[in-house]
Amino acid sequence: MKAGTRPKDNTIIDEWIAAQHADGDSAAAWRANIQLANDLRGIRDVAPYEARAEVLRKSKTVKDELKAERSAHNKEAVLTQNLIRYQTGLDDPATRDDSERQLRSTVNDLKRRSAADSDTPDRRASRRALAGIFAMLVEGNRQYLERNQYDLAAVRNDIAADIPPDRPGVWLEAARLLELAGDKKRAQYWRDRAEKAGVTQPPGRGRPR
């Protein structure tokens, strides 16, 4: 519509506006009003959205939210650096035990914070961090498997398996790697959890019973 290749359709425009959730007194509403002003410029009067965005920008609620978001972002950046250091430390036998303890402790703390009832910047940052840890641990395991370093691959997968949400397929992979590494007790723990969830074969390794 803005390019003039389609006739102006007020019904679609109104639906677009309603979908942006620009009401309320929050940082999300502030961003939504800014976005609406950008989206609708040239096909609708955007002065109300610009004015509303300016009012919200000056409000204490929005200022406090943005401050909390910046704080959470800074903490997340530091956390990411620490997580990379802990994972690197797993490769070195001299620092492996300490790095593993630090990594497990960090995961447990993030799980607690990510389970908070309120949708805060800290909860969102914690959930992003957990997703990042999981991806780094699982996706980075290929190199260790190729080198038959099952002890290290097992530790990494064991930590990843404990990160929400529940993933029975990952639990079974953890069990497989732990068995290869000689930790049959821990392997059975993950196998039991997977079986309770109704999964007895990881994806691609046969049809679950």
Side-chain angles (χ1 to χ4, degrees):
M1 294 180 201
K2 292 174 72 171
T5 58
R6 175 172 180 163
K8 182 177 177 181
D9 188 326
N10 284 317
T11 299
I12 291 178
I13 294 173
D14 290 339
E15 290 174 351
W16 180 260
I17 293 170
Q20 302 311 304
H21 305 293
D23 298 330
D25 186 10
S26 66
W30 169 66
R31 293 191 179 95
N33 277 278
I34 292 175
Q35 188 63 51
L36 282 171
N38 291 332
D39 291 344
L40 302 177
R41 187 168 286 107
I43 58 173
R44 183 68 67 90
D45 179 14
V46 299
Y49 305 110
E50 292 177 330
R52 180 59 180 159
E54 183 64 15
V55 170
L56 289 171
R57 184 183 68 83
K58 295 178 180 179
S59 75
K60 184 178 185 303
T61 299
V62 172
K63 287 181 178 179
D64 288 346
E65 281 191 38
L66 293 176
K67 182 178 179 180
E69 288 179 0
R70 287 192 295 271
S71 177
H73 177 76
N74 291 337
K75 290 179 181 178
E76 190 175 357
V78 173
L79 175 63
T80 299
Q81 293 176 352
N82 289 337
L83 291 171
I84 293 173
R85 188 172 75 252
Y86 299 153
Q87 289 195 74
T88 302
L90 290 175
D91 292 348
D92 187 347
T95 59
R96 182 172 300 171
D97 289 345
D98 183 62
S99 295
E100 181 183 346
R101 282 193 296 270
Q102 294 279 13
L103 192 51
R104 290 186 186 277
S105 176
T106 299
V107 167
N108 287 333
D109 181 57
L110 288 171
K111 285 168 62 179
R112 177 184 58 80
R113 287 158 53 187
S114 69
D117 293 333
S118 301
D119 182 20
T120 63
D122 182 69
R123 189 180 77 168
R124 293 192 293 271
S126 297
R127 292 182 177 184
R128 287 194 300 271
L130 283 174
I133 296 172
F134 179 85
M136 285 190 287
L137 289 171
V138 173
E139 294 172 10
N141 245 3
R142 182 177 302 174
Q143 59 180 310
Y144 304 106
L145 294 173
E146 290 175 347
R147 296 198 293 262
N148 296 329
Q149 292 179 287
Y150 297 118
D151 56 340
L152 184 51
V155 168
R156 293 169 60 90
N157 216 104
D158 185 38
I159 297 172
D162 206 30
I163 296 176
D166 289 351
R167 301 177 178 91
V170 176
W171 297 345
L172 287 176
E173 178 65 4
R176 183 182 76 88
L177 293 175
L178 286 162
E179 286 174 348
L180 289 171
D183 191 344
K184 294 184 179 180
K185 182 177 180 180
R186 185 65 175 172
Q188 191 60 49
Y189 166 78
W190 287 118
R191 196 172 300 283
D192 289 344
R193 285 195 64 178
E195 289 180 356
K196 286 181 180 179
V199 179
T200 58
Q201 291 288 342
R205 291 180 179 272
R207 187 174 181 178
R209 294 201 304 266

